[in-house]
Amino acid sequence: MDFRHVAPARVCEALRHVAARSSGPEIDAGLRITLNFHPDRLTGGVPILEAPARDGVYHSQFVTGTTNGGLTARPGGDRHRWESRIFGGVYDDAAADERPVYGGLNFRRQVVGAAPRFGSSHFRLTGPALARATFCHPDSAAEPTDFGVAGGTHLIAPAETDERDALDDYIRLGYRRTPDGRRAGGRGDLRTQGRFVPCTDIKRGRGAVADSWERARQVLVGAGISDGGLAEVRALGGGTYNTVEELRFTDGTRYVLKVAPTGPGLRYESRLLAGEAEFYRVAAEADVPAPRVVAVEARWMLMTVCPGEPWNGSLTDSEQAALRAELGRQVARLHRLTGPGHGYPSGALGPLAPDWRTAFVTMYDAVLDDARRYGARLPRPVDEVARTARSAQDALGEVTVPRPVHFDLWSGNVLVDRSAGDPRIGGLIDGERMFWGDPLADFVSLALLGDIRKDEAFLAGYREAGGRAEFDVPARLRLALYRSYLYLIMLTETVPRAVGEEQARRVRDLVAPELVAALDEIEELAAA
């Protein structure tokens, strides 16, 4: 494809690089690119909505340092690395203001724009911007391998059938300067004697910004913190149950606000934030990096921010092994502590039990009751699952000391911090499933849908720090029981969360075979 008529040489090279990796039909010329943004945020002390009117340019985060995603737009940062991979190194030595700006292709023609995850308002670019844009799906942060340009892309069809959360349902794009230096797509300059001009549509979202700010201010007042310096309220992705937002202040102070939902849920999910607060208290006692609770109420919790980004596939093999060993040592430190009883500290299923068997039987029966109540689609009848689980309950008697169990330590809840060079664990987050019980139960989510016995680096670090990791028959029986418990939760929670049939099907396809395997292992070991 020849891009010389639409862009400067560097941009043409980037467009050609992506075009060579793209295929499919031309994009509908009637579709539009939107740039979602939060109008009440600041960049250089100026509201974002005023900055483009002043400058005549919509800048990238390499210039502004403002984003709804990770602040990694710097040499060596994740954003720099992603762009180098996607655009073949074309922008590696580019000035900050020469880099692409990110938006979304509004293929669903939504009134809130293509990517409301990145703001409740948006600019809508005109048709010529399509020729200067490259596209990817999923988001550029997810290491995509599928790309497109206006002249050919197959991304729209899979995106249309993708049942992602509404905030994450978009085709990501980067667009470039016009040959005369302005950003593509506007109807003329954004600058006219300091006044806003009708160069593009500016759409307001659903009131989420105002609601978030009011809620944040109320929480700060309740926590005894002045809201005078509050500069930004930013939605954080990744969660599937609570609402999570970052609060940023003009002096650089940052907090994370987690707000519990008011809709239906599983029985154990009642007062989840109390359990999460307990986990962070325990982590502090064990000297394990995790948020520190600033204030907590029944419906919300305010906490400090941990450095880093969720663990992803960007690590080298050696970095991965070193971090798994470090994680093993940290989990072992947690498991040294003891609690006042067994079960959920929130009291959602009643008071803590004097023994682990009583506590876990109560926990297991509760999720089976949830499965019956919500009509969850399980691979085996609920009563059959209950009978199989009962056959393993004698093994629970071996656990006599209650230890803290996070029970949700999959990679997304482990932050990796690169700020000091070599990656390290920045924090263990989302401890809302925490309970007091058998430390072996943590091995389930640490090897989610897999086998912890294959994670040699983690087990080496865990044992080095004094953790006990033995896999005799009673331990394997308990581990299979805990796997079945987590997989029952994962299959049942899709109903009250109303995730949609396509997402529910994906969960069933992924989790149901693992539940069957866990139940089969229980039956085999219990009969031995």
Side-chain angles (χ1 to χ4, degrees), residues 134-204:
T134 56
F135 307 89
C136 68
H137 183 72
D139 190 279
S140 54
E143 305 286 348
T145 57
D146 294 324
F147 301 92
V149 293
T153 180
H154 66 279
L155 299 179
I156 293 179
E160 286 178 332
T161 59
D162 193 338
E163 292 291 337
R164 292 175 180 267
D165 183 284
L167 291 179
D168 294 320
D169 181 26
Y170 53 83
I171 294 178
R172 193 72 152 139
L173 64 86
Y175 78 101
R176 285 93 182 152
R177 292 178 181 275
T178 58
D180 64 1
R182 291 184 292 106
R183 292 293 180 189
R187 293 197 289 268
D189 203 319
L190 288 172
R191 180 175 46 205
T192 301
Q193 298 179 345
R195 295 181 292 108
F196 291 113
V197 296
C199 62
T200 185
D201 293 337
I202 302 177
K203 302 293 186 183
R204 183 59 188 265

Side-chain angles (χ1 to χ4, degrees), residues 4 202 215 230 275 308 324 346 513 518:
R4 288 174 295 176
I202 302 177
R215 177 173 59 210
L230 183 62
R324 292 303 292 182
S346 65

